[in-house]
Structure formats: C-alpha cells, structure tokens
Amino acid sequence: MIAQEQLTAMDGCAAYTHEGRRVGGLEYVLVDDTTGRPEWVRIAGGAAGPGGCFAPLRHAVFEDGRLVLPYPVSLIERAPRSAPADGSVLSVLEEQKLFAHYGVRDVREERNAEGGAGWGPMDRSAAIREGTAGHEARSTRLERVRPGR
C-alpha cells in the first residue's frame, strides 16, 4: 500500500505491472479527503497503452523509484475511462465502476483491522451515498494530488 509520505518521491515516476511491464507515467493521485490515504492513480499514456486510466493503489507498492501495480496490463487497459485530465476527479459512480472492474471492495464498506485498531464503515461515507442518490455523477469523496507538490 502506498503511504501519503511516499507521494513526493513518486513525482514523475513510471507505473509498472507486477510482471515488470511498463504501463505509463504517473499523472496524478486521488486521495480520500477524510483519511488522506492514496486511493487511485491516473496513468498517462505510455508505450503499453492509451493512458488516461485509473488503477487502485491499495495493493500497489513504490520501490526502486517506480510504482508497481498488482494488475496485468490487459486489465489496466480495459479499465473504464473517467475524469478527464482537466482537473476533475472521479465521481462516486465512476469510482464504483472502477471498484467493480478491478474486483476491489470499497475500503469504506469493509471492517478493517489495520494495525489492530479496527474500524467500521465511516459515517461520512454513508452520508455521501445517502445524499447523492441520483447525483452520483457529480459527487466525490476524493481529491486530486499531484505527487511532489
């Protein structure tokens, strides 16, 4: 998992699969606006694909100056395209589609015991879902962060 402290070092790095294939360059990161946890990375175009796609950071690692994603190139390339590079972020609906595509559960839906602390679904996440019925395309819980800035 990528820690917020690693974001500065990730500026300008390339993203690779766990198999060592280059996917593209890191364009920006989306962090949870409540926890500050890096959640998604937007990958700019590269030799392996068209770019402009998102990948979850939950099981990614940053090592030897590169971001390593635990997904094959084919899965990353087929990810739903969302959030144009104009500074917008993922809507709730777009994020749900990406969770489904990657087979990843929304961390807010899980009971988690990181470091033995344990926490349940955040109250705020329930309010986001309840308050966005019919407005999922316009609402978000994420904020855009450019590594190194």
Side-chain angles (χ1 to χ4, degrees):
M1 176 160 78
I2 303 299
Q4 191 174 26
E5 297 78 28
Q6 294 176 296
L7 293 179
T8 300
M10 289 172 54
D11 189 28
C13 78
Y16 289 81
T17 68
H18 62 286
E19 301 155 334
R21 289 195 52 201
R22 188 177 193 282
V23 180
L26 184 144
E27 190 174 345
Y28 60 86
V29 172
L30 296 177
V31 299
D32 183 297
D33 68 356
T34 301
T35 65
R37 182 188 331 215
E39 294 285 342
W40 298 95
V41 62
R42 181 169 165 107
I43 300 167
C53 55
F54 283 92
L57 288 172
R58 189 171 311 157
H59 302 293
V61 294
F62 181 66
E63 59 187 19
D64 300 324
R66 60 190 205 164
L67 178 65
V68 181
L69 302 167
Y71 306 101
V73 170
S74 60
L75 184 65
I76 296 168
E77 288 178 335
R78 291 189 323 265
R81 296 295 191 262
S82 305
D86 65 2
S88 60
V89 297
L90 293 171
S91 69
V92 172
L93 184 59
E94 290 169 329
E95 189 179 23
Q96 289 171 349
K97 288 180 183 177
L98 285 165
F99 280 132
H101 173 76
Y102 284 102
V104 177
R105 290 185 61 191
D106 182 345
V107 72
R108 297 167 298 162
E109 303 295 333
E110 298 176 349
R111 298 252 176 225
N112 194 344
E114 285 185 11
W119 52 273
M122 295 187 296
D123 294 336
R124 185 164 180 273
S125 66
I128 288 171
R129 282 190 303 281
E130 291 166 9
T132 59
H135 304 284
E136 289 85 354
R138 295 194 308 258
S139 301
T140 186
R141 69 177 181 92
L142 302 166
E143 70 180 72
R144 182 177 167 167
V145 174
R146 175 81 184 201
R149 296 190 177 38

